[in-house]
Amino acid sequence: MVEERENGGRWTAGPLLAATVLIAGLLVTALVAAGLQAAQRDKAERVMDQRHAMALAAVQTEIGRYRALLETLAAGTATDDELTWDDFDVASSPLEEAHLIGAAAVAYVVPVRSDGIAAAQRLWRARGATDLTMRPRGSGEEHRFPVLTRSLTGDGAPLSGTDLSAVPQLAAVMDDARRIHTTAVSDTYVLLMDRATPAAEQQQSFVFATPIWTRANVPEFRGWMLLSLRGRDFLARILDTVSQGQLSGSLIAHNSDGSRVTIVNRPVAGEPDLVRADEFPMGERYWTLETRADSGRLPGAGGRLPLIASGCGAALSVLLAWLVFALATGRARAR
């Protein structure tokens, strides 16, 4: 009777001990897998911070470079009392050679009063803009015409002679630039050159406007140097360079009326679960760069290590529990 009770006790204690080992093993496995997953998440967060910072720095650097080049061009033309197409061609050629990301065109724009349009057209044709035809719009006293232009995309000449005073965003940025005596940035608009493009392919664009004042004791205002950029081309190229296709992003303009306009929203493959956003100064207002990424697609941040650890840990726990059970009940089974 005593021996039977001992055997029965072993059969009862064996499964309990094996179950305890199994539960403990599975719990340790879960903790290890959770730790590995948390470590991967932390690494993904750090990689995302780095990639976003790089994208933001690239956007600001490129914008600063464009502004500096435009201001240099404007300063050069301000010293030329009889600017011709040949002069403008030589002065603006470095912009084409610089391969500015997203830049569409650069133009020398002059203000012309309604009663002086014919004389201004003869003057600029004589200076080399032989195909210039000024097309005034509206009934305002002052019109703004691009008289010397250069395309930076190779897809056709800009629309010289178009009255830019009829485009509210461009009229406003030129007024701001003349008022503050420095470069201003426009609200977003659909680029004039893109009006012949299908609506689905048109891009939100923006313009840098630099005022041109002479260096005389009493400065004379001569016009503006304008540089237009296509938003989608600009951000897409920068994100491709910085993230190798792993970041999606949006460039959001804060317009002068308080509205927020998404210039471009560029998606990438995956399901983004990491988001970063930062404002940066753009002229007299601020813009926002927002980037998103799928943590599993970031370099070094993905992988199946937690899953592998879970599977191996579970298998080892089951094997150890079976060994414990076998050892604990072996004598009883032998009897």
Side-chain angles (χ1 to χ4, degrees), residues 295-319:
S295 58
R297 291 177 176 269
L298 294 176
R304 298 183 178 181
L305 186 57
L307 182 61
I308 294 172
S310 298
C312 293
L316 289 174
S317 298
V318 171
L319 178 60

Side-chain angles (χ1 to χ4, degrees), residues 71-231:
E71 290 175 346
T72 300
L73 176 60
T77 56
T79 62
D80 193 338
D81 293 333
E82 296 183 359
L83 183 68
T84 66
W85 160 249
D86 290 336
D87 297 333
F88 177 79
D89 182 45
V90 172
S92 62
S93 59
L95 273 71
E96 186 171 13
E97 296 166 0
H99 303 292
L100 303 179
I101 300 173
V106 62
Y108 181 77
V109 180
V110 297
V112 180
R113 296 186 61 83
S114 297
D115 56 3
I117 292 177
Q121 181 171 285
R122 288 193 300 270
L123 171 66
W124 288 104
R125 283 183 175 180
R127 291 186 179 184
T130 54
D131 296 330
L132 175 66
T133 299
M134 294 182 174
R135 298 178 292 277
R137 296 181 61 187
S139 56
E141 285 298 318
E142 183 182 85
H143 304 271
R144 288 99 182 261
F145 299 106
V147 293
L148 303 173
T149 59
R150 175 187 289 275
S151 172
L152 301 176
T153 60
D155 57 359
L159 297 178
S160 61
T162 301
D163 188 357
L164 300 185
S165 63
V167 182
Q169 298 90 339
L170 301 187
V173 73
M174 286 188 281
D175 288 341
D176 289 344
R178 179 160 55 181
R179 173 177 54 83
I180 64 178
H181 285 236
T182 190
T183 302
V185 183
S186 75
D187 289 346
T188 58
Y189 72 108
V190 176
L191 192 65
L192 290 174
M193 289 174 59
D194 288 343
R195 286 185 172 176
T197 305
E201 300 178 15
Q202 291 180 354
Q203 300 189 41
Q204 287 288 339
S205 303
F206 55 98
V207 158
F208 293 95
T210 300
I212 300 173
W213 294 85
T214 64
R215 303 300 184 187
N217 292 332
V218 180
E220 175 190 354
F221 180 72
R222 288 184 172 171
W224 303 265
M225 198 66 70
L226 264 58
L227 177 66
S228 60
L229 275 81
R230 296 171 177 171

Side-chain angles (χ1 to χ4, degrees), residues 263-283:
I263 297 176
V264 57
N265 185 13
R266 180 178 178 275
V268 294
E271 298 180 1
D273 56 345
L274 298 175
V275 180
R276 299 290 186 272
D278 274 300
E279 289 186 353
F280 60 94
M282 190 70 167

Side-chain angles (χ1 to χ4, degrees), residues 237-252:
R237 287 277 302 279
I238 287 179
L239 290 182
D240 284 343
T241 302
V242 170
S243 70
Q244 292 83 49
Q246 293 155 349
L247 286 184
S248 62
S250 299
L251 195 59
I252 303 167

